[in-house]
């Protein structure tokens, strides 16, 4: 497997070459639309890479190793974003985080219980109760609380 940092470094170099060559100046409107579409795909992949990196890293060791107090500060310094932008990434990282059992490598048993508790907290915040508020017509709890 190739090193993710090396792959991203190649992407940055390729983008620098494209921008430095003024290749965008001679494009037609149709070609510009294609470039914008592909650039959007690249942007989504980069955001997913950042979020997955945060989600799979240790929330204490990762920032401490870089001399930061927490993940939010680490993201502010490395990505050059404000506190609000970093908080959005941390929140997304918590949503996609998967607890892994160290012995088997599979999903840890406690992860399911924690996920259920998180769902219940979100539902209470949105006024869903076991008494029926927010339940569907049959009376079951909805899969996702809105």
């Amino acid at each position: 497997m190739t090193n993710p940092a090396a792959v991203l470094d190649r992407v940055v170099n390729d983008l620098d070459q494209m921008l430095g060559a003024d290749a965008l100046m001679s494009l037609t409107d149709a070609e510009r639309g294609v470039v914008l579409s592909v650039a959007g795909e690249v942007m989504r992949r980069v955001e997913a890479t950042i979020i997955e990196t945060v989600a799979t890293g240790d929330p204490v060791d990762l920032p401490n190793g870089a001399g930061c107090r927490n993940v939010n500060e680490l993201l502010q310094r490395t990505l050059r974003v404000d506190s609000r932008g970093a908080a959005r990434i941390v929140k997304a990282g918590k949503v996609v985080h998967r607890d892994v059992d160290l012995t088997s490598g599979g999903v840890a048993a406690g992860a399911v219980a924690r996920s259920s508790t998180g769902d219940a907290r979100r539902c209470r915040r949105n006024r869903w109760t076991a008494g029926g508020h927010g339940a569907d017509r049959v009376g079951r709890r909805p899969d996702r609380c809105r």
Side-chain angles (χ1 to χ4, degrees):
M1 184 166 118
T2 59
N3 182 353
V7 171
L8 291 173
D9 193 40
R10 281 194 307 263
V11 170
V12 168
N13 287 333
D14 290 345
L15 288 172
D16 285 344
Q17 287 177 2
M18 181 189 68
L19 293 170
D22 293 329
L24 300 175
M25 291 179 65
S26 61
L27 296 178
T28 66
D29 287 343
E31 291 171 329
R32 288 179 198 280
V34 172
V35 168
L36 288 172
S37 176
V38 173
E41 292 293 325
V42 170
M43 191 167 47
R44 284 185 284 283
R45 298 309 192 290
V46 169
E47 288 174 344
T49 301
I50 293 168
I51 291 168
E52 189 67 22
T53 302
V54 169
T56 57
D58 186 288
V60 175
D61 292 340
L62 180 65
N64 286 345
C68 298
R69 290 172 293 179
N70 54 32
V71 177
N72 191 304
E73 181 184 359
L74 174 69
L75 292 172
Q76 287 179 52
R77 290 179 180 205
T78 57
L79 301 178
R80 292 183 264 177
V81 296
D82 62 351
S83 179
R84 186 174 175 187
R88 253 188 31 237
I89 295 168
V90 170
K91 184 177 180 180
K94 288 178 182 178
V95 169
V96 299
H97 175 76
R98 296 170 298 279
D99 287 340
V100 177
D101 187 5
L102 293 176
T103 56
S104 69
V107 176
V112 175
R114 230 171 317 189
S115 166
S116 300
T117 309
D119 287 346
R121 265 185 267 134
R122 275 195 294 285
C123 292
R124 274 197 297 278
R125 214 175 314 132
N126 291 321
R127 300 180 191 269
W128 179 83
T129 62
H133 300 283
D136 65 8
R137 282 180 266 177
V138 184
R140 296 181 306 232
R141 182 180 78 81
D143 290 335
R144 294 186 77 176
C145 297
R146 291 176 179 86

